[in-house]
Amino acid sequence: MDKDELDYEKFITSFCGERDRIFGYIRALLPNQADAEDVFQRTSLVLWKKFADYDQSMPFLPWACSVAHFEVRNFARIASRDRLQFDETLMQQIADDRLNKSVDKDSRINALQDCLKSLKPQEKEVIDLVYRKGISIRAIADEKSIPCQTLYNQVSIARRKLHDCVQRKMTLRSQTS
């Protein structure tokens, strides 16, 4: 595989993994769906054209969102003649907030995945059945022949453990940042 094919593959992998978040970022800045879609298309092209300049040791999403931010600003500048647009300061605040929330969400997901590993096998099983597979507590209780309240208590204890673990990891993360 030559360098161009490798770059294309890296770009597609990175872009597809963050596509929805990039669009969500743009959508948060542009109240009109059609405008957001147009800017997303332009942003996608710019990301591909500038991918050679991207430092692949850094996370893709912040870089992509910075490109999207400039595309949104460019769109707003052009469209400002035609209709009411967000104030530039407000747009910057929304952009910063959206990017921070996206990065924070990734950190929380990673923390949750780590914390799930620390649960007892029985706790993991009940969390998996209830939250990943969507099975009702009543159905699980009936299948296992245990009282619903016992299962509710197990789920509650496991959720509390996960919550506390994620909070500790997020606090530790913010202290080391």
Side-chain angles (χ1 to χ4, degrees):
M1 203 180 287
D2 68 5
K3 184 184 177 334
D4 287 342
E5 288 175 351
L6 282 174
D7 284 347
Y8 178 74
E9 189 174 308
K10 286 178 186 176
F11 174 77
I12 292 299
T13 301
S14 299
F15 181 77
C16 289
E18 300 295 355
R19 181 194 183 290
D20 292 341
R21 288 188 179 152
I22 296 166
F23 182 76
Y25 176 83
I26 293 168
R27 186 69 174 98
L29 297 174
L30 294 172
N32 182 290
Q33 177 79 19
D35 292 344
E37 289 172 1
D38 288 345
V39 171
F40 178 73
Q41 291 300 319
R42 276 195 292 259
T43 299
S44 301
L45 289 171
V46 172
L47 288 172
W48 170 241
K49 288 176 183 176
K50 293 183 178 249
F51 189 69
D53 300 332
Y54 163 61
D55 178 359
Q56 295 181 22
S57 68
M58 304 298 289
F60 182 79
L61 183 64
W63 175 74
C65 286
S66 69
V67 170
H69 181 73
F70 285 111
E71 289 303 309
V72 168
R73 287 178 63 190
N74 187 42
F75 173 83
R77 194 171 21 261
I78 293 167
S80 67
R81 296 177 290 225
D82 298 334
R83 56 192 135 161
L84 180 64
Q85 296 292 318
F86 286 144
D87 168 81
E88 182 67 29
T89 305
L90 175 61
M91 194 179 316
Q92 183 65 47
Q93 287 175 325
I94 293 171
D96 292 345
D97 183 58
R98 181 66 186 209
L99 183 58
N100 290 337
K101 283 183 180 175
S102 194
V103 170
D104 188 51
K105 183 179 178 184
D106 285 345
S107 297
R108 284 188 173 283
I109 289 171
N110 290 337
L112 178 60
Q113 289 172 340
D114 284 346
C115 292
L116 281 166
K117 295 173 188 171
S118 69
L119 292 179
K120 296 176 186 172
Q122 182 180 358
E123 293 169 328
K124 283 182 195 175
E125 179 187 19
V126 74
I127 290 295
D128 184 60
L129 291 171
V130 171
Y131 291 103
R132 194 171 67 81
K133 295 183 178 169
I135 301 172
S136 74
I137 289 182
R138 179 168 305 282
I140 298 168
D142 289 346
E143 182 182 313
K144 293 182 176 277
S145 300
I146 58 175
C148 276
Q149 189 58 49
T150 301
L151 200 54
Y152 275 115
N153 292 344
Q154 288 176 356
V155 170
S156 180
I157 289 167
R159 286 183 61 196
R160 172 57 53 197
K161 284 181 181 179
L162 289 172
H163 176 268
D164 292 346
C165 179
V166 169
Q167 289 302 105
R168 279 193 308 273
K169 288 185 180 289
M170 294 304 293
T171 300
L172 184 62
R173 179 187 167 272
S174 69
Q175 291 172 351
T176 59
S177 295

